[in-house]
Amino acid sequence: MNARVLRTELKRSIAPWPGIVVLAGSLAVLLLIDGLWWQGDAGWTAQWTSMALWTRYLLSFWWPLVVGLGAVYGLRDSRSQMAELLTTTPLPAWRRAALPTGATALVLTSGFGLLVLVGGVQVALGTTTYTSLGWLPISLVAALSLVAGAVFGMGVARAVPSALTPPALTVFLLLTALSLQQNNEEALPSSVAPNRLALLFPATAEPREMLLTLSGSVHLGQTLWLLGLLATGFALLSAATLRARLLAVAPALAGAALALLILPATPRDTYVIDKAAATLVCDGPVCVTQANRSHLPELAPRGKDALHVLHDALGDKAPNSVREDTGLRALGDERRLSGDAVLVDFDDPLIAHATGAELTRLLVAQGLAPNCAPRTPWEGGGQVDIPVQSIAASWALGDHQLKPLQKPDPYAYSQREWADADVAWQRLMALSPAEQRSRIAEVHAAALSCTVHDKLSALAGKASQ
């Protein structure tokens, strides 16, 4: 197969379409739709690993479609009624199969490679300073899965030359994807199907935790399975007899058997912490992960200022460090709080975009009235008591009037709630300094224990006594 023959194949066949669908479809989803992939420090352009995982997540849609398009490509000879004529030519069957296989592999790897390149450029131009090659196996396995799926579809269509073969394959794989789909509602993504069986499907769950990556056993097991699928597709594409078609199934079965022995049985062994990314980098008492090291120059001085304010407000009960929150939690789960540290979550839109004195105020608020469930794009802001945190921060910073931590949002808090917060502020400031300090200390203790959910009412009621 030379370059001239390959160019002719690309011009006169549907080989380019699978690559175009993957590239154009993915870019349309990722760039034109304001989805979860744009939010938080696990966004698709925030870190290298999350970029690779988001492109793998899209295989939930593209992999069944690519298999179906490969099947359409595989029907070319039967549609043109040339199958019998081609079998009489002296050219070996595997040589004839190499041309469409090579063309398909070229366009799919090029299309997916350009997608990864677009994401990689945006990551490189972003704020992250953490670089690692740990994302590379995630993308390489994704590219292999696209090529293997398309060639498998071509082989099946050659073995079963029916107009119903492409839609049947696509629908079957879409239904399979729905049944094996992994969800990220738990601390670690999981599936209703057995974990090993779910991992035979190349798509991953939506990235939610920036520090999670796929383990090496996942890469190895999926690679063996996909190589077996690729070999079966090529063998079916080359087979001329019934016996050869039956034998062609052996590589896929062998690959699946080996993969099921190697793939992890539990989500905990599937999605693991990237230890290099999770390594803490500190500037005095202020620590962030290596992956978010770019935040440290701004966070460190503001964190130290906030710790001084908290020490004046809480005395010996004040936290003595500011640390990035790296705990894994299921959606809706309360996070474990510690009185020794102010936990910072860069998925919190207030923290992520704050600078200067605004950041100091937010850290003081989080230290005085820490929230059990952080504000994240996935969990929403309903469990964060912004009015109470605003009162606590305004008191600690010596403000003469209540200063909200954010512009009042009618969708998050009503005008009445902010009016109640202003009343609570007035009642608190009417007390003696010793009583004010006592009330703030009680709110701090209640927040750490997560026992009082309506802290605003508790603060207002106690302040009025």
Side-chain angles (χ1 to χ4, degrees):
M1 181 174 59
N2 55 43
R4 182 178 61 83
V5 175
L6 183 59
R7 285 197 302 270
T8 303
E9 181 72 12
L10 292 174
K11 289 179 180 179
R12 298 183 179 181
S13 70
I14 69 165
W17 282 104
I20 293 173
V21 167
V22 170
L23 175 60
S26 299
L27 291 179
V29 171
L30 293 173
L31 298 181
L32 301 181
I33 300 177
D34 186 15
L36 293 181
W37 41 86
W38 283 115
Q39 303 177 24
D41 59 0
W44 93 284
T45 60
Q47 304 286 347
W48 289 98
T49 299
S50 59
M51 181 273 294
L53 288 174
W54 273 115
T55 54
R56 274 285 289 271
Y57 164 73
L58 293 178
L59 295 186
S60 301
F61 315 102
W62 305 139
W63 201 66
L65 189 57
V66 163
V67 175
L69 289 174
V72 173
Y73 192 11
L75 291 176
R76 180 179 60 175
D77 292 347
S78 64
R79 288 199 311 268
S80 59
Q81 299 180 354
M82 293 180 57
E84 293 184 4
L85 176 62
L86 291 174
T87 58
T88 62
T89 61
L91 190 67
W94 68 268
R95 291 280 300 275
R96 294 196 304 271
L99 180 59
T101 299
T104 299
L106 176 63
V107 296
L108 280 171
T109 53
S110 299
F112 188 77
L114 287 173
L115 171 64
V116 173
L117 179 62
V118 171
V121 168
Q122 295 190 71
V123 174
L125 295 178
T127 59
T128 183
T129 57
Y130 175 69
T131 56
S132 170
L133 294 179
W135 64 273
L136 195 55
I138 301 174
S139 295
L140 290 177
V141 172
L144 174 61
S145 72
L146 290 170
V147 175
V151 175
F152 178 73
M154 293 165 60
V156 172
R158 181 67 62 86
V160 187
S162 169
L164 296 178
T165 299
L169 274 176
T170 303
V171 171
F172 172 76
L173 290 176
L174 283 173
L175 293 177
T176 302
L178 291 176
S179 62
L180 299 181
Q181 187 176 22
Q182 299 177 3
N183 67 77
N184 61 359
E185 295 180 359
E186 301 299 325
L188 296 169
S190 60
S191 171
V192 294
N195 193 70
R196 287 192 175 102
L197 189 61
L199 289 176
L200 293 180
F201 197 79
T204 57
E206 299 173 350
R208 183 171 63 87
E209 298 285 353
M210 176 266 300
L211 297 177
L212 287 181
T213 187
L214 293 174
S215 65
S217 59
V218 174
H219 299 320
L220 178 58
Q222 290 182 335
T223 298
L224 291 175
W225 152 242
L226 293 170
L227 287 175
L229 196 66
L230 176 62
T232 289
F234 187 79
L236 287 173
L237 199 58
S238 308
T241 64
L242 178 60
R243 180 183 179 185
R245 294 189 182 100
L246 293 176
L247 291 176
V249 182
L253 295 178
L258 290 174
L260 291 174
L261 292 175
I262 295 173
L263 291 172
T266 62
R268 183 168 297 278
D269 296 322
T270 301
Y271 291 87
V272 296
I273 296 293
D274 185 340
K275 294 182 179 180
T279 301
L280 290 181
V281 181
C282 299
D283 183 346
V286 182
C287 298
V288 298
T289 61
Q290 183 71 36
N292 280 319
R293 187 171 185 170
S294 59
H295 292 280
L296 189 59
E298 177 67 27
L299 183 66
R302 299 302 170 181
K304 295 172 184 176
D305 292 343
L307 290 176
H308 287 305
V309 174
L310 291 172
H311 179 74
D312 293 340
L314 299 174
D316 295 338
K317 295 183 179 180
N320 51 34
S321 65
V322 176
R323 178 172 54 83
E324 181 179 350
D325 185 7
T326 58
L328 300 180
R329 298 175 304 280
L331 290 179
D333 276 5
E334 293 182 343
R335 64 175 176 177
R336 295 182 179 180
L337 300 175
S338 170
D340 297 331
V342 178
L343 296 181
V344 175
D345 189 344
F346 292 113
D347 273 333
D348 183 336
L350 294 180
I351 293 291
H353 304 296
T355 58
E358 179 187 5
L359 180 57
T360 302
R361 179 176 293 273
L362 288 168
L363 294 174
V364 170
Q366 182 63 25
L368 290 174
N371 50 287
C372 297
R375 284 176 57 95
T376 70
W378 297 276
E379 294 171 348
Q383 299 186 44
V384 182
D385 207 338
I386 294 294
V388 169
Q389 289 187 338
S390 299
I391 292 174
S394 297
W395 173 84
L397 293 171
D399 297 329
H400 297 293
Q401 60 182 5
L402 175 62
K403 293 183 179 181
L405 294 178
Q406 64 177 17
K407 184 179 180 180
D409 184 354
Y411 294 100
Y413 298 98
S414 65
Q415 293 183 351
R416 180 174 181 178
E417 287 175 300
W418 280 109
D420 291 343
D422 189 64
V423 171
W425 165 258
Q426 298 295 336
R427 291 178 177 176
L428 177 66
M429 298 307 293
L431 298 175
S432 65
E435 290 177 319
Q436 293 175 16
R437 188 178 299 273
S438 175
R439 297 297 169 258
I440 294 295
E442 290 180 10
V443 170
H444 174 70
L448 286 177
S449 63
C450 299
T451 56
V452 179
H453 296 287
D454 190 3
K455 294 183 286 291
L456 181 61
S457 297
L459 180 62
K462 291 181 179 179
S464 62
Q465 291 179 357

